[in-house]
């Protein structure tokens, strides 16, 4: 097995081989480097499964110049977060205002002073890392440390669009902790917080498939999003989650349902040809959850649409 290469990845975009070779010489020891000589190839590499961490982009190129390519990268959801640094010769006219308006974070000039070029690239990689960390915190529920509602809304939109493109079903579990107000009234809000943390960790640990997603939707409610999952698979996963929660055996003496904490679930499985909005999918899961509560709680109700 080869050792994983965790060095930052740089994409150099330049239509002149000599310029690419010069930058390769500067970065090859400390970075993983790939190159493209035209905009089409650059966009393909930027949209790949393992995209570059930063792009060094020449301004003067045929067909699509650097300004246009930078704007295209920034208008694409999959590539807009990649820092772009323009590369220009001292003899060329650099329109800095236009460059920054297109979305570039910096520009460097030729001839290069290698230590300075490396320092500028490392600075922007460090800034990107800090930004990504802050952005990830914005999508995490502070109490349970699973995804929050904001993140859920974004992922649901992405997965529903993917389901329709791939013609594969999408399932959603809307889960609510039974009689949680009574739990807080009996044991206190600190114990309630501990309960939610334990439930979230146990359920998150039970979702092993790539793409399965859990979020705290608010209060004692959770959403479990299951891409490419038909009704039978969704019901099986819901039953397993129910067993896991029961297995925690968290005492709940104030519950009329059981002597321990239990949950109710509404499960909806959506045909990819259904003309539904994500709001309508959530509403359908909410109706199924209502049915589970109305039928006595600690149960699963499922609908397919």
């Amino acid at each position: 097995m080869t050792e994983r290469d965790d060095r930052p990845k740089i994409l150099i975009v330049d239509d002149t081989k000599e310029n690419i070779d010069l930058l390769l010489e500067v970065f090859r020891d400390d970075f993983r480097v790939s190159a493209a000589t035209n905009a089409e190839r650059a966009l393909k590499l930027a949209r790949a499964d393992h995209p570059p961490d930063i792009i060094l982009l020449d301004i003067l190129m045929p067909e699509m110049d650097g300004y246009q390519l930078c704007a295209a990268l920034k208008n694409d959801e999959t590539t807009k977060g990649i820092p772009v640094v323009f590369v220009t010769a001292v003899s060329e006219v650099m329109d800095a205002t236009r460059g920054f308006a297109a979305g570039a974070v910096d520009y460097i000039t030729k001839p290069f002073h290698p230590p300075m070029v490396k320092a500028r690239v490392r600075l922007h990689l460090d800034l990107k890392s800090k930004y990504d960390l802050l952005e990830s915190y914005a999508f995490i529920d502070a109490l349970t440390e699973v995804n929050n509602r904001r993140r859920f809304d974004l992922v649901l939109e992405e997965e529903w669009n993917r389901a329709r493109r791939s013609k594969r079903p999408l399932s959603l579990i809307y889960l609510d902790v039974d009689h949680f107000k009574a739990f807080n009234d009996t044991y206190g809000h600190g114990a309630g917080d501990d309960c939610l943390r334990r439930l979230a960790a146990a359920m998150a640990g039970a979702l092993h498939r790539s793409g399965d997603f859990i979020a705290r939707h608010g209060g004692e409610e959770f959403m479990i999003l299951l891409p490419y999952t038909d009704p039978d698979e969704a019901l099986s996963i819901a039953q397993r989650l129910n067993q896991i929660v029961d297995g925690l055996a968290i005492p709940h003496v104030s519950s009329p349902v059981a002597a321990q904490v239990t949950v109710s679930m509404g499960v909806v499985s959506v045909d990819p040809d259904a003309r539904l909005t994500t709001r309508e999918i959530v509403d359908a899961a909410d109706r199924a959850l209502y049915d589970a509560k109305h039928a006595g709680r600690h149960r699963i109700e499922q609908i397919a649409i």
Side-chain angles (χ1 to χ4, degrees):
M1 180 183 294
T2 58
E3 186 177 347
R4 181 178 173 183
D5 191 345
D6 290 325
R7 293 177 301 167
K9 186 175 181 180
I10 295 177
L11 172 60
I12 300 169
V13 185
D14 198 308
D15 64 323
T16 303
K17 184 178 183 301
E18 290 76 9
N19 291 337
I20 291 175
D21 289 341
L22 183 60
L23 287 169
L24 279 171
E25 188 62 32
V26 172
F27 292 110
R28 71 168 73 249
D29 291 337
D30 301 312
F31 299 85
R32 291 174 293 158
V33 185
S34 58
T37 57
N38 57 63
E40 181 181 3
R41 176 64 177 167
L43 287 170
K44 183 175 181 180
L45 291 174
R47 292 166 177 160
D49 291 338
H50 301 286
D53 296 298
I54 192 167
I55 296 174
L56 303 185
L57 177 57
D58 186 32
I59 295 175
L60 300 180
M61 296 191 301
E63 298 179 11
M64 181 184 288
D65 66 23
Y67 300 119
Q68 294 169 314
L69 177 54
C70 183
L73 289 164
K74 296 304 170 181
N75 287 327
D76 188 324
E77 284 295 320
T78 62
T79 59
K80 69 178 185 180
I82 305 172
V84 174
V85 176
F86 278 130
V87 178
T88 179
V90 172
S91 60
E92 296 171 356
V93 177
M94 168 66 183
D95 188 342
T97 300
R98 185 182 176 192
F100 291 131
V105 296
D106 202 355
Y107 65 93
I108 56 179
T109 56
K110 296 174 282 189
F112 307 117
H113 181 50
M116 181 61 69
V117 173
K118 284 185 179 181
R120 298 270 280 275
V121 166
R122 289 193 183 280
L123 170 64
H124 291 297
L125 288 172
D126 186 52
L127 290 172
K128 181 180 184 296
S129 177
K130 289 180 170 62
Y131 176 83
D132 290 345
L133 184 61
L134 288 172
E135 191 174 55
S136 70
Y137 286 151
F139 289 128
I140 297 298
D141 177 63
L143 175 65
T144 62
E145 297 185 353
V146 298
N147 301 286
N148 61 16
R149 182 169 182 167
R150 179 186 175 198
R151 180 62 176 162
F152 167 76
D153 290 340
L154 293 172
V155 173
L156 176 59
E157 188 75 35
E158 293 171 0
E159 292 297 347
W160 179 226
N161 289 334
R162 185 178 290 113
R164 288 187 291 186
R165 289 195 304 268
S166 63
K167 300 298 183 182
R168 301 279 298 278
L170 177 75
S171 293
L172 175 65
I173 300 172
Y174 200 160
L175 180 149
D176 183 78
V177 183
D178 294 327
H179 300 290
F180 192 67
K181 182 180 183 302
F183 184 94
N184 278 333
D185 291 343
T186 301
Y187 299 100
H189 288 276
D193 289 349
D194 288 340
C195 174
L196 292 177
R197 279 191 286 263
R198 289 183 63 187
L199 292 175
M203 292 188 292
L207 299 175
H208 303 302
R209 304 182 315 168
S210 175
D212 289 352
F213 177 93
I214 183 171
R216 185 183 179 201
H217 201 243
E220 65 274 22
E221 297 176 338
F222 293 86
M223 290 286 192
I224 296 95
L225 185 60
L226 306 170
Y228 304 154
T229 306
D230 63 28
D232 289 341
E233 292 172 315
L235 180 59
S236 176
I237 291 171
Q239 290 170 337
R240 187 171 79 248
L241 292 175
N242 187 60
Q243 292 170 353
I244 286 170
V245 171
D246 286 350
L248 293 175
I250 302 172
H252 190 352
V253 297
S254 301
S255 172
V257 176
Q260 62 192 40
V261 169
T262 59
V263 295
S264 298
M265 290 183 242
V267 183
V268 61
S269 297
V270 191
D271 186 283
D273 292 326
R275 295 183 176 275
L276 297 174
T277 64
T278 54
R279 178 70 260 171
E280 290 169 327
I281 294 172
V282 171
D283 287 345
D286 190 22
R287 290 194 299 272
L289 175 60
Y290 174 84
D291 290 342
K293 291 180 178 180
H294 190 69
R297 301 179 186 258
H298 194 201
R299 60 187 295 123
I300 302 164
E301 293 291 336
Q302 183 177 33
I303 60 175
I305 54 179

